[in-house]
Amino acid sequence: MQVLLWRYFAIFTILVITVVAIVCFGILSSAYSTQARERISTIGTGLTLFVDGKTSGFTGEVGGEMNRYAFTEGVDIVLLTIDGASLIYTNEPSDDWQSVFGELNSSINGWTERKALIYSSESMLNYVSCITFNNQQCYLLVRYPMFIMMESVRSMQLYIVIIAVVAIVIAFIISYILAQRISRPIRDISGTAMRMAKGDYSVQFASAEFEEIAQLSESLNYAKDEIKKSDDFQKELLANVSHDLRTPLTMIKAYASMVKEISGDDPVKREKHLQVIIDEADRLTGLVNDILNASKVSAGLSELNKKVFNLTEFLYGIMNKFDYLQETSGYKFFVDIDPNLYTLADEEKIYQVIYNLISNAVNYTGEDKCVYVSLKDCPEEGRIKFAVRDTGKGISEEEKEHIWDRYYRSKDAHARPVKGTGLGLNIVKIILQAHSFDFGVNSKIGEGSTFYVDFPEVSSTPAN
Ligand code: ADP
């Protein structure tokens, strides 16, 4: 890229400089020739006025004036008869008078009336005027050697070429520096991206002085952070899942061995041990189902199968499932459920939502092991408000943004006796979003959390 940029910059500047140089060349020669014509015409007009009508008595004065011009202006001046005989001249011509006259004659085509003409011969720019001197028609010829003009033009042109070459060299250097400054940050970014691709998320995309590249760096840093988060989540999930799978498996194996070797003949013990095996197998099934469900739900594989059902009875049914916790682990459920509320939703999926939310309340509630479940009718809003409250340590504002993410689990999740996969709330979110139901969490640190879902209220018999 750097070479390409450099090449383009260089070609562009060479083109510009060449065009400017060519234009300067043209302007310079035409400006010089115009200037020379003006000069020669001024000299010629001045001399014509001075010499015209003079008699031979003024020959000395005329010669003096002609010499003065010749000296100061670098021109040759000659006064010729119309037959070509030179009367007065300032310099012997390099060729003979005859050829000068021949050139003059072919240019003026033999005119004798008073006029003036500028013409150029091989190496001279000539001004000729027809005047009267010593009572006879004469030609006053002012000759300006072109080589003087050409020399100035040439030296100016040489300067232009030198300046152009220097400018091109400078342009080459500047374009090299520029190309490097543009391409270096891009090269750096691509190097950093390669390191990131190899799994190093500690890399930082450096900012650059060009706004667009700085923006690109910023976006890549953002993308990197997001990828890192997702990678961390996945790693954590793998760690959690393998940990969670291993625990029930170890228990199943341990209790199966116990049944085989110790309690096989004792029906009471055997019964107890077999129950542990069944419970742990159930836990395993639940865990695997959670993982499968999350990927299925988020992949959009499962369609919604909406129908009207009695939410009140449905909720009581779910609460019954938690009864065993009340009996075995000292949990206290406070239930406030309005009777006969109907909603329209996918029953099976709503089961997952409510079950997950109550499970979380059980898992995260405080030492008092209290969980409050309510289902309230709000006819004026046409809604049924479901809420489940716990007395746990609550969820911080920062954490609130993440709890609905896939695989998110709070850092101290492993410290709790009941472990989850970090998928539960993600499943809840996907299902409720698919239904377009309002849901969320209100929580205060130290006071517990309330998760809520607003269901639409419908009459018990669906309208046909
Ligand atoms: P998990 O299997 O870890 O419970 P969830 O997706 O159900 O996964 O929850 C994600 C995270 O949200 C939990 O790890 C926890 O940090 C937080 N969380 C969920 N419910 C509660 C709650 N009732 N009280 C406090 N924190 C909660």
Side-chain angles (χ1 to χ4, degrees), residues 335-387:
V335 178
D336 181 5
I337 300 176
D338 282 352
N340 279 324
L341 299 175
Y342 285 84
T343 192
L344 174 70
D346 185 322
E347 199 173 348
E348 207 181 304
K349 300 223 162 43
I350 295 302
Y351 180 90
Q352 284 179 41
V353 169
I354 294 181
Y355 190 86
N356 272 326
L357 292 179
I358 298 177
S359 297
N360 276 351
V362 167
N363 289 342
Y364 296 96
T365 196
E367 293 297 311
D368 60 5
K369 294 189 169 180
C370 289
V371 172
Y372 300 81
V373 178
S374 66
L375 189 72
K376 296 275 132 219
D377 187 13
C378 295
E380 64 285 356
E381 291 177 38
R383 297 176 191 217
I384 306 166
K385 287 186 176 284
F386 165 80

Side-chain angles (χ1 to χ4, degrees), residues 85-111:
S86 59
L87 297 172
I88 308 169
Y89 56 86
T90 57
N91 245 330
E92 209 45 80
S94 53
D95 38 4
D96 58 81
W97 285 119
Q98 218 40 53
S99 70
V100 173
F101 184 66
E103 258 174 23
L104 164 70
N105 233 352
S106 67
S107 305
I108 63 175
N109 217 5
W111 51 251

Side-chain angles (χ1 to χ4, degrees), residues 23-33 152-157 160:
V23 170
C24 284
F25 259 60
I27 291 175
L28 203 70
S29 352
S30 86
Y32 260 86
S33 89
S152 321
V153 170
R154 255 183 230 121
S155 62
M156 288 299 283
Q157 285 175 338
I160 291 176

Side-chain angles (χ1 to χ4, degrees), residues 225-268:
D225 290 345
E226 290 301 303
I227 294 172
K228 181 177 183 311
K229 255 190 236 163
S230 149
D231 195 60
D232 287 349
F233 285 158
Q234 307 225 18
K235 278 188 192 138
E236 217 179 304
L237 170 82
L238 208 67
N240 293 343
V241 169
S242 34
H243 177 271
D244 293 346
L245 290 180
R246 208 177 307 125
T247 318
L249 280 175
T250 317
M251 297 273 277
I252 290 170
K253 192 176 169 207
Y255 277 85
S257 302
M258 269 175 22
V259 173
K260 185 179 168 202
E261 284 159 22
I262 305 168
S263 57
D265 298 330
D266 181 340
V268 182

Side-chain angles (χ1 to χ4, degrees), residues 20 45 47 57 162 190 199 244 280 331 347 351 380-381 393:
V20 171
T45 323
L47 265 178
I162 292 171
S190 99
D244 293 346
E280 289 302 312
Y331 279 93
E347 199 173 348
Y351 180 90
E380 64 285 356
E381 291 177 38
K393 56 182 180 179

